Amino acid sequence: MSEQPFETPASVGDLQDQLRGVGYLADRGLGTAALIALRLGRPLLLEGEVGVGKTELAKCLAQLTGRELIRLQCYEGIDTHQALYEWDYARQMLHVRALSEHELADAQTIGGLYAEEFLLERPLLQAIRSGSNAVLLIDEIDRADDEFEAFLLELLSDFQITIPEVGTVEAAGRPIVILTSNRTRELHDALKRRCLYHWIGYPTAAEETDIVRVRAPDVTEALAQKVVAAVHRLRDMDLAKPPGVAETLDWVESLGAIGADELTGESATDTLGAVVKDRDDLELVSSDIARVVPGS
Ligand SMILES: Nc1ncnc2c1ncn2[C@@H]1O[C@H](COP(=O)(O)OP(=O)(O)O)[C@@H](O)[C@H]1O
Ligand SMILES: [Mg+2]
């Protein structure tokens, strides 16, 4: 974490440079969206295919700003308690067992069971309390259901919550908020309206080669270009699970691990599991490896 307080960069170019400094390559569109979100203190909703750098942007922004990253991973069936706070029943029970009958008869004792010391903070409460010291990542919100989305909408507008037994907790300053969606379903317009929106597409071949060079500096430029070109051909193949940037990086690392400094039909086939992670896709690609690595 940086010791110096973070100052919002003066321009998109400056923010892009600073992000590059922490290993993240943002194109001009994403850099612009991020700068606006920082300046206006608005949540930024990032949509795109799996593995295009949505989650990573939140991590890198936390690193850049010296803020704590607080991540709420959404999933099917997530409810407000798992997101906000829960009471620590086990500790409450232990406490009750240690009380005398006399103490138990006292109504105040029972009230005391719902005190701060028995409260388990979950990511959203943690983010409200950390306020301007936090980057709040609400990850894969498309996995949560409608009801949870509505609850988030409310939270994002007030940044305060009321815990009946404790009172109202208000954010001391706003966290930077990044929401991500892999777009397995449409999000509601109301949520989109509250946020700035940016679609992250797959990087161009040149951009992706650049990402490989930053993330895997030991790889030669020539190999990086070849692997990226092969990944781009895979993305054109109509696979069930097209490879993201993470897979490109896995692929170059796997090639490195077997000491292959060239991408050939053979080394590609040997390491295909790093980049194609679906059985039917694997069959399709293996049977037509010359399409992925021409000349092999
Ligand atoms: N623009 C980028 N700059 C640097 N690394 C990137 C970029 N995009 C993706 N990556 C790499 O790809 C990996 C997967 O990205 P991630 O953020 O997890 O994807 P998703 O969009 O599914 O959240 C990251 O861990 C990072 O190593
Ligand atoms: Mg992600």
Side-chain angles (χ1 to χ4, degrees), residues 54-55 139-140 180 182:
K54 302 181 296 294
T55 302
D139 216 6
E140 304 187 347
T180 80
N182 292 329

Side-chain angles (χ1 to χ4, degrees), residues 113-176:
L113 286 173
Y114 292 92
E116 187 64 42
E117 61 182 303
F118 299 109
L119 193 65
L120 293 172
E121 275 186 0
R122 297 299 180 220
L124 293 179
L125 178 57
Q126 215 187 326
I128 291 171
R129 284 187 166 159
S130 300
S132 50
N133 293 319
V135 170
L136 171 62
L137 166 62
I138 302 175
D139 216 6
E140 304 187 347
I141 186 185
D142 51 325
R143 291 201 193 186
D145 56 28
D146 286 2
E147 214 175 304
F148 190 74
E149 208 182 302
F151 154 77
L152 271 183
L153 184 64
E154 205 172 308
L155 183 107
L156 290 177
S157 54
D158 314 338
F159 254 93
Q160 64 170 41
I161 59 140
T162 300
I163 303 174
E165 301 88 348
V166 174
T168 299
V169 186
E170 227 176 300
R174 290 266 160 144
I176 295 170

Side-chain angles (χ1 to χ4, degrees), residues 52-73:
V52 291
K54 302 181 296 294
T55 302
E56 191 68 19
L57 177 69
K59 292 183 186 170
C60 290
L61 274 178
Q63 200 185 335
L64 182 62
T65 55
R67 292 176 177 225
E68 179 190 7
L69 179 75
I70 299 174
R71 178 179 189 168
L72 175 68
Q73 172 64 55

